[in-house]
Amino acid sequence: MKIATWNVNSLKVRLPHLEAWLARVSPDVVCLQETKCEDAKFPGAEIEAMGYRWVHNGQKTYNGVAILAKPECGNVGRGIPEFADEQSRVIAGDVGDTRIVCVYVPNGQSVGSDKYEYKLRWLEALRGWLAAELAAHPKLAVLGDFNIAPEARDVHDPLAWEGQVLVSDAERAALKRLIDLGFADAFRLFEQPEKSFTWWDYRMNAFKRKMGLRIDHVLLSDALAKGCTACAVDVEPRKLERPSDHAPVTCDLTP
DNA sequence: ATGGTTGTCCTACAA
């Protein structure tokens, strides 16, 4: 089974890129972030025409997350239980015997801002919920835009970024606490090229200059990590005209 | 140098 995550930064704008990518890669499950549309405006017919079922936690203008899957996606949940959040950032569902959680972690804006504090509170709530999910679902995968680069090697210029949002100690500690529940960062199970990133700012020709961060992740429970045979960033869609600022990450699991 | 680009939606705001 091939699972994937992609922050598309507007599903309406990126639908042609998504369709081309689905046709080329044929993942079984895709988690999308920043769909930026209400449920009523989700392009369901187009997705179904590509052979995918879908579930969506939509929102106008901002956020919005979806799971596309070839099989039926059951036991669907939206948001973090017992965490009141007006922003649509989480959707979860069962695909076969695997529990899929799609997350769009708050960006945090800048260290010390209200949005930063919200990000840290949000991550703590996510951790509490995932502890319970992990106990209930041994085969658990959490995929999405975490808006955190875990280590220096995940940052094009660690010195320039030191202490900034997306790389600050508190954010990294929060991500580590999450992973320490019993997950593996699937990307780091394998040898990877240097300067592997998943997001490049639209400004300053950052992509061409390889000025990126690795902030999109696939976290696998131990039971899934044992059967993980590959994980990679697919930079091809980032090279197209009018791209998302994020590239998809794919992950292969044995059945 | 606090720059620059994109998406949503109309004027800023978020990223």
Side-chain angles (χ1 to χ4, degrees):
Chain A
M1 181 163 79
K2 186 186 289 289
I3 65 175
T5 180
W6 192 5
N7 180 325
V8 291
N9 186 17
S10 171
L11 183 52
K12 183 182 175 183
V13 172
R14 229 63 67 192
L15 187 59
H17 286 11
L18 177 65
E19 289 173 325
W21 187 78
L22 291 174
R24 173 167 65 83
V25 177
S26 195
D28 298 286
V29 178
V30 188
C31 294
L32 301 179
Q33 302 85 39
E34 288 204 88
T35 59
K36 295 187 175 179
C37 68
E38 298 168 289
D39 290 339
K41 295 196 172 177
F42 189 88
E46 290 86 344
I47 299 294
E48 286 158 23
M50 298 294 298
Y52 290 86
R53 301 160 185 258
W54 55 275
V55 292
H56 186 221
N57 182 12
Q59 185 180 334
K60 192 175 165 183
T61 310
Y62 303 118
N63 311 307
V65 286
I67 301 172
L68 318 186
K70 289 178 179 175
E72 179 84 28
C73 191
N75 193 19
V76 175
R78 289 170 176 80
I80 301 170
E82 298 173 55
F83 181 77
D85 193 353
E86 292 180 353
Q87 306 186 18
S88 297
R89 297 183 171 277
V90 174
I91 190 164
D94 295 335
V95 178
D97 63 352
T98 299
R99 181 76 172 159
I100 300 289
V101 177
C102 172
V103 300
Y104 175 46
V105 176
N107 171 281
Q109 192 173 59
S110 60
V111 174
S113 66
D114 289 349
K115 291 191 178 73
Y116 182 79
E117 297 304 322
Y118 163 66
K119 180 179 193 175
L120 295 178
R121 281 202 315 278
W122 196 95
L123 285 164
E124 187 59 19
L126 180 67
R127 188 181 65 85
W129 174 51
L130 288 182
E133 285 291 287
L134 202 49
H137 307 278
K139 296 174 83 168
L140 176 64
V142 185
L143 306 88
D145 177 358
F146 285 75
N147 270 314
I148 301 171
E151 299 177 71
R153 62 180 165 163
D154 301 313
V155 181
H156 70 92
D157 186 344
L159 270 180
W161 276 84
E162 192 162 12
Q164 298 297 305
V165 73
L166 312 185
V167 311
S168 73
D169 289 345
E171 291 165 86
R172 284 175 167 172
L175 179 58
K176 183 174 189 305
R177 280 195 297 276
L178 204 67
I179 289 172
D180 285 349
L181 291 172
F183 294 102
D185 176 352
F187 188 74
R188 292 301 179 201
L189 294 174
F190 306 94
E191 275 204 41
Q192 300 289 357
E194 285 186 36
K195 301 189 193 307
S196 287
F197 307 126
T198 64
W199 169 82
W200 302 259
D201 200 300
Y202 282 125
R203 297 165 287 190
M204 308 287 287
N205 277 316
F207 180 65
K208 281 183 181 169
R209 297 162 69 190
K210 304 187 189 301
M211 296 168 62
L213 302 180
R214 190 177 71 93
I215 58 176
D216 300 86
H217 307 300
V218 177
L219 306 186
L220 301 177
S221 65
D222 294 338
L224 286 181
K226 272 189 282 186
C228 180
T229 57
C231 183
V233 181
D234 183 355
V235 297
E236 293 307 316
R238 189 65 178 80
K239 300 175 179 173
L240 301 174
E241 289 294 320
R242 225 178 168 194
S244 168
D245 44 352
H246 294 252
V249 180
T250 63
C251 180
D252 294 316
L253 304 171
T254 53

